[in-house]
Amino acid sequence: MNGAALAVTGAGAVLPPPDAGDEEWFDHRERLGPRGYKYLPAAAQYLLAAAREAVEDGGRLDGVACDRRGTALALNGGFAELFHTMDRQVAVENGAAALSPATAPYFAVSLLGSRPAAELGLKGFALTLATPRVAALEALEAGSRAVAAGRCDVLLIGAAEHRVPGPLTGGSAPGPPDGQSPDGLEVEQGSVAFVLEPQAAADARGARVHGTVRARSLFVPPGRPLPRDLIAEALERLGAPPALDVHCVLDDSEFSDRIADAVAEATGTGSITTTPAGAGSLAPAVRLVRLLTGPPGARLLVAATREGHAALALVRTGSDTPLPPQKREIHSC
């Protein structure tokens, strides 16, 4: 089943300032509250702050019952530093007995969304994807399918990342240069979150709509040729119109080059804007926020990575004219 296009009614972004460097830039006490957040992994703190921003921006999760609110989240190396600290504690220092009970549950990457799920009443379903680079768009696709399948009525999509740690041995082995992952890509920190719902539901409650999005992901095993009609078929399934502006988030791999060439051929456009991919899943999510808050129009967002993953998202903006507010029912959990 393919997910339908969903309306984005709330967007939030928690990202370091451009001049942050290696300085700490996020104060969980200021952004989240004075108590109860200290032992959350940094990526989970960022995600919770971005989710709150998306709700404050107009994404009214409380318009439906808790068991009709779903979430699909993305990260790549967002828990790497936490795992590094745990490994060091167990293997190099005083053993597992000294691990903090507050952080031990996060051995499971799928717990990235546990705190937003608890605070925002996201009880419909919860899914975490950890695919390199394209995970945010895959989360959008998977979440949209869940809405289309009737598993939820409103959806929180989020991507979060944190810095990549140094070597486990504490300096005896060379680590990646500052600001880079082991594979040489720029590290990412922060989070982006969206609240989405069917367009009809957004219209019924008079919501401001940033735009609509629909995503489709692809995978080609390394070394296999790119099927000739793969991109054209994906664009057809997305309902993409001709003459699209194309925005790509790509690494420097041959596979990414082949995806970009195939997209250019299938869309017939000579206008492709390319942003270098980072080490995590944030860059496509950040680009999606910018497309949704940009000028009206239909645009195609493309992400690809050397591992053979690719994802496309059709973004339409221009339907964000506020409608008269209507009385709505608020569900508490």
Side-chain angles (χ1 to χ4, degrees):
M1 176 182 294
N2 293 311
L6 293 178
V8 180
T9 53
V14 175
L15 301 169
D19 58 350
D22 295 331
E23 300 295 325
E24 294 295 335
W25 56 274
F26 183 88
D27 185 341
H28 63 84
R29 297 175 183 82
E30 177 183 346
R31 300 298 299 268
L32 301 176
R35 295 179 182 274
Y37 304 99
K38 178 179 179 181
Y39 294 107
L40 284 179
Q45 293 176 347
Y46 303 155
L47 174 64
L48 183 56
R52 288 181 180 179
E53 278 198 6
V55 172
E56 292 169 359
D57 186 52
R60 300 307 301 264
L61 294 169
D62 58 4
V64 302
C66 292
D67 61 358
R68 302 297 300 166
R69 307 172 194 171
T71 181
L73 307 174
L75 84 167
N76 184 28
F79 283 176
E81 186 172 78
L82 175 67
F83 294 159
H84 174 84
T85 302
M86 291 177 167
D87 288 346
R88 177 189 298 278
Q89 178 62 47
V90 173
V92 181
E93 299 180 357
N94 300 320
L99 288 176
S100 167
T103 57
Y106 287 94
F107 268 123
V109 172
S110 59
L111 285 184
L112 171 67
S114 60
R115 195 59 175 266
E119 292 200 6
L120 300 175
L122 306 169
K123 299 181 179 179
F125 79 96
L127 177 67
T128 301
L129 297 100
T131 311
R133 259 75 78 182
V134 301
L137 299 188
E138 289 184 327
L140 176 60
E141 179 189 27
S144 299
R145 285 180 172 174
V147 175
R151 296 181 60 194
C152 65
D153 296 322
V154 64
L155 183 66
L156 175 72
I157 297 290
E161 297 290 353
H162 187 46
R163 58 177 176 252
V164 178
L168 177 63
T169 52
S172 61
D178 290 343
Q180 292 189 359
S181 69
D183 55 4
L185 295 174
E186 183 178 355
V187 299
E188 296 177 322
Q189 296 185 60
S191 179
V192 173
F194 307 94
V195 177
L196 305 98
E197 57 191 288
Q199 180 76 56
D203 290 345
R205 67 179 180 86
R208 178 196 60 183
V209 175
H210 289 296
T212 62
V213 295
R214 188 179 188 185
R216 182 168 178 78
S217 62
L218 313 164
F219 176 70
V220 179
R224 299 281 184 85
L226 194 68
R228 178 177 177 81
D229 296 327
L230 184 69
I231 298 300
E233 290 175 356
L235 293 174
E236 182 178 359
R237 287 177 177 271
L238 289 173
L244 280 168
D245 288 337
V246 179
H247 298 258
C248 294
V249 180
L250 306 173
D251 61 22
D252 60 356
S253 67
E254 180 184 350
F255 179 76
S256 286
D257 291 341
R258 290 159 59 196
I259 289 291
D261 291 343
V263 168
E265 180 180 357
T267 59
T269 180
S271 173
I272 295 182
T273 302
T274 300
T275 302
S281 61
L282 269 182
V286 172
R287 178 57 59 180
L288 181 56
V289 166
R290 291 173 179 167
L291 293 181
L292 284 166
T293 56
R299 297 173 181 81
L300 184 69
L301 175 60
V302 180
T305 179
R306 67 182 72 254
E307 289 85 359
H309 294 278
L312 298 85
L314 180 64
V315 182
R316 296 177 184 270
T317 58
S319 58
D320 59 347
T321 302
L323 298 175
Q326 298 182 3
K327 184 179 180 180
R328 61 185 176 83
E329 183 178 0
I330 297 177
H331 298 264
S332 60
C333 302

